[in-house]
Amino acid sequence: MHLHKLILLIIITGGLALWGTANANNVPLILKKHLSKEPINKAKVLVAMAKQHEHAEGVPRDYNRAMELYCKAAEQGYDEALYSLGWMYANGRGVSRNDGIAVQLFTLAAEKGHSQANTMIRYLETAQEPELPDCLQSIANTSTVDYSDKPFFDLVLKLAPEYNLDPNLVMAIIAVESAFNEQAVSHKNAQGLMQLIPATAERFAVKNIFDAEENIRGGMAYLRWLLAFFKGDVTLAVAAYNAGEGAVEKYQGIPPFTETQNYVKKIQAQYAQLTHPYEPDIVHRHAVIALSEYK
């Protein structure tokens, strides 16, 4: 190779190397660990950016910006985003402390496999009504689990219109009650897919409690009745499905039973809608408490 060509090659190669180094130094730190390791995951990047703003790591502390970024990542169902957003509400970091929101976010994070979320719930006031932060309310009405590949989905889809019920709510209850085991029996003798106790089965004319269709029909009839009784309030209806409508009225909201409180959280993690259409004419009276009348 001629000398002048070799010199030119060295200059070009060195220039490219320097260009690459200069541009690499301009790449935000949050992206460097993703480059050359794995495709950039948008939610992970958003959370990394949020943590920088939350902890003032290389940028001025900005809790509002951190929450905005956490929310965007949480909308994608990223467990670390849900957990980090819950941490901010649990500690009043840049926002008024709200255990109800924190519990809901930690519950959602735990459902998605976050290892520390359940631990955090133990330190919070779980009697406070679970709720989503404002930034996630817009997706609440469309945030449901896809049950299309679950057992009994086709049967629920067929029967739900007869009872004017959202099949996703029915599937959420079956998932939490029995994990789709039609032979399930609880320590309180609740039986079948929708865990009907014998008195409820008799009340709604269920003869074979372990028959999938009969059990689902009985559970749907009871759920429809509860929604009418509580004027479409899903939270109260679900709490009553677990503890009975009398307990919900007595305590003017979700009863202070650990089992019932955890049950409501599990349902809400799968079914986010807070209201449901109801048929007022199927009950003789309405609950003492009704939608938006309890804390």
Side-chain angles (χ1 to χ4, degrees):
M1 180 181 294
H2 294 295
L3 182 60
H4 73 278
K5 289 185 178 179
L6 180 59
I7 293 173
L8 180 61
L9 179 61
I10 292 172
I11 292 172
I12 292 172
T13 304
L16 287 173
L18 289 171
W19 182 89
T21 301
N23 278 271
N25 288 334
N26 289 330
V27 175
L29 291 175
I30 57 171
L31 295 181
K32 283 186 176 180
K33 62 181 179 180
H34 295 283
L35 295 175
S36 77
K37 289 186 179 180
E38 60 180 351
I40 296 175
N41 180 302
K42 183 179 178 181
K44 288 182 179 180
V45 173
L46 289 172
V47 166
M49 291 173 63
K51 288 184 183 297
Q52 282 193 315
H53 287 289
E54 181 184 358
H55 302 293
E57 297 173 350
V59 296
R61 192 184 309 277
D62 187 339
Y63 288 137
N64 289 334
R65 179 59 176 159
M67 293 192 71
E68 178 185 351
L69 292 166
Y70 282 139
C71 279
K72 287 181 179 179
E75 287 179 358
Q76 299 177 43
Y78 183 36
D79 63 339
E80 182 63 27
L82 292 162
Y83 177 83
S84 297
L85 195 57
W87 179 271
M88 295 190 76
Y89 277 99
N91 291 278
R93 183 167 289 179
V95 67
S96 297
R97 175 171 173 163
N98 188 315
D99 282 8
I101 291 178
V103 166
Q104 179 72 99
L105 290 167
F106 286 142
T107 300
L108 290 170
E111 288 284 335
K112 293 183 177 297
H114 197 285
S115 60
Q116 296 174 294
N118 277 324
T119 301
M120 285 302 303
I121 293 173
R122 300 195 200 112
Y123 298 103
L124 299 174
E125 177 53 64
T126 55
Q128 188 172 338
E129 196 66 33
E131 58 180 309
L132 287 170
D134 289 342
C135 66
L136 296 181
Q137 286 291 347
S138 61
I139 64 169
N141 290 336
T142 58
S143 185
T144 54
V145 176
D146 181 8
Y147 297 104
S148 59
D149 62 344
K150 298 297 184 183
F152 309 105
F153 176 74
D154 290 340
L155 180 58
V156 168
L157 205 61
K158 181 183 81 171
L159 298 178
E162 294 183 34
Y163 297 87
N164 293 320
L165 291 174
D166 183 344
N168 285 314
L169 175 56
V170 178
M171 290 296 288
I173 289 175
I174 293 175
V176 173
E177 287 283 357
S178 66
F180 305 102
N181 178 7
E182 57 191 312
Q183 300 300 317
V185 178
S186 77
H187 65 284
K188 294 182 179 179
N189 201 31
Q191 302 170 14
L193 288 170
M194 296 192 74
Q195 289 290 275
L196 305 177
I197 60 173
T200 303
E202 182 179 359
R203 176 179 172 186
F204 293 99
V206 176
K207 301 197 181 316
N208 183 356
I209 204 167
F210 292 109
D211 177 81
E213 181 167 342
E214 279 201 58
N215 189 285
I216 290 173
R217 283 187 177 276
M220 284 185 173
Y222 185 34
L223 182 59
R224 175 177 63 177
W225 188 92
L226 289 171
L227 286 167
F229 190 65
F230 291 109
K231 296 184 179 179
D233 189 309
V234 173
T235 302
L236 295 181
V238 165
Y241 194 94
N242 178 264
E245 58 268 24
V248 174
E249 286 208 283
K250 176 181 177 181
Y251 292 101
Q252 298 288 285
I254 302 174
F257 311 144
T258 300
E259 176 188 328
T260 302
Q261 291 172 354
N262 289 337
Y263 177 84
V264 171
K265 292 170 194 170
K266 288 177 182 178
I267 296 292
Q268 289 179 329
Q270 298 195 44
Y271 187 84
Q273 295 189 52
L274 301 178
T275 61
H276 188 290
Y278 65 96
E279 304 170 58
D281 296 336
I282 68 171
V283 294
H284 296 299
R285 70 175 182 87
H286 288 293
V288 174
I289 51 175
L291 184 62
S292 77
E293 294 177 357
Y294 69 101
K295 301 294 183 187

